[in-house]
Amino acid sequence: MAQSAPFGQRLGKILHLKDAPPTLTTRSLRSLELAVTETRNDDPEPGLSGSLTAEDAFLVSLKLHDYPDCELWERGKSLMKADVRAGATYLYDLKHDPRYVIDKPFHSLFFYLPRSALDSVAEQPGTTRVDQLDCQLGMGHDDEVIRHIGASLLQGLRRPDETNQLFVDHMMIALTAHVAQTYGGLRRISKLPRGGLPAWQVKRACEKLESDLGGTFSLQLVAAELGFSVSHFSRAFRTSTGLPPHQWLLRRRIDTAKQLMRVRDLPLSEIAIAAGFANQSHFTRVFSTMVGVSPGAWRRGAQGAPD
């Protein structure tokens, strides 16, 4: 069912936030919207949260702040109280109208996963369909994978101009598959082929990725160029190159920047944009992390090296 507003805006409204919270979205599974949103209010006005539209979809929430004695509601009734712990993962079925009493500061990440996205993951060869997620009210899960994905996406939410779409696609698809397997009983009934792409397909995929160093292309678009599903393409590309598409693109950005610093006397700010980075600060941070020295220091060393 079509929604009248983006997920982050709707979630912000039911949590009584003054502004729409930061949100990242992907449409790389059946062109469905998957989203992650950071919600925070250090001084909330007490009251019951609102309701999201009842639909066949789930919320997966990574709590970033303790919330003791949380009063939980479903289907219009107060059912229990539970201590919510920072670092724990909770699952909610939107068909059950999950709500809670807002009376303390809160800080969480919410992942929006429509049922159709879980079905799409289960349509891969050799897998079974997800029947139902383990959405036990008040039950927190110690999930290291979701904490890792959440921490990675939290940086993207806070620096949206520096976050490329391939990275968001990769992380959200990985989260969907993990949730389906861990909480939905998804299992493989046969081994998937693990071969990589033929050389001509690797070349074509790399050319497509390199034509958009800024990373605005989606995984779905790149996979469609070769006639593959997103999951098959990502797996085969990684087998062939040793890297998932978003990391391959990041390496290519660094290589492009090095070439520009070797052969052209350009300001670092212009090199940053030409190599697909959001700005010089973004370029410096990523380059220093991956190469071990700042771009300026690397350039001085390269220019001083003998031909």
Side-chain angles (χ1 to χ4, degrees), residues 16-29:
H16 314 310
L17 299 178
K18 293 181 180 179
D19 301 309
T23 303
L24 297 171
T25 62
T26 179
R27 292 184 178 274
S28 279
L29 288 175

Side-chain angles (χ1 to χ4, degrees), residues 40-44 65-68 100 102-107:
R40 180 172 186 170
N41 192 338
D42 294 329
D43 187 24
H65 193 293
D66 285 343
Y67 200 93
Y100 76 102
I102 301 172
D103 56 4
K104 290 173 282 289
F106 61 86
H107 188 193

Side-chain angles (χ1 to χ4, degrees), residues 58-221:
F58 302 92
L59 294 183
V60 177
S61 182
L62 174 62
K63 303 305 181 182
L64 304 176
H65 193 293
D66 285 343
Y67 200 93
D69 203 28
C70 180
E71 183 177 337
L72 300 167
W73 288 51
E74 277 192 351
R75 305 182 193 272
K77 295 181 180 180
S78 174
L79 297 183
M80 64 180 297
K81 289 187 177 182
D83 290 334
V84 173
R85 299 301 183 190
T89 293
Y90 295 79
L91 284 77
Y92 308 97
D93 188 332
L94 289 184
K95 297 193 302 297
H96 297 169
D97 186 23
R99 304 168 75 185
Y100 76 102
V101 173
I102 301 172
D103 56 4
K104 290 173 282 289
F106 61 86
H107 188 193
S108 302
L109 284 183
F110 282 95
F111 301 90
Y112 169 73
L113 302 180
R115 155 76 69 180
S116 299
L118 297 171
D119 290 343
S120 180
V121 170
E123 285 173 355
Q124 304 307 315
T127 59
T128 58
R129 186 179 185 277
V130 174
D131 182 30
Q132 180 63 32
L133 294 187
D134 183 18
C135 298
Q136 297 184 49
L137 192 65
M139 174 66 72
H141 303 274
D142 181 15
D143 194 317
E144 185 177 354
V145 171
I146 290 182
R147 283 197 295 272
H148 170 73
I149 293 174
S152 297
L153 287 169
L154 193 59
Q155 296 304 309
L157 285 161
R158 293 175 179 177
R159 294 191 176 106
D161 293 341
E162 301 177 7
T163 303
N164 72 71
Q165 189 61 48
L166 290 174
F167 167 75
V168 177
D169 293 350
H170 175 82
M171 286 296 179
M172 290 300 294
I173 292 170
L175 179 126
T176 303
H178 172 73
V179 168
Q181 293 169 7
T182 306
Y183 305 106
L186 177 70
R187 66 184 190 279
R188 303 207 182 281
I189 57 178
S190 64
K191 291 185 178 180
L192 295 175
R194 292 295 173 181
L197 299 170
W200 72 270
Q201 289 183 330
V202 173
K203 182 175 183 291
R204 185 171 172 185
C206 290
E207 287 174 348
K208 184 71 174 179
L209 291 169
E210 194 170 1
S211 71
D212 176 43
L213 287 176
T216 59
F217 288 159
S218 68
L219 269 179
Q220 186 177 36
L221 178 64

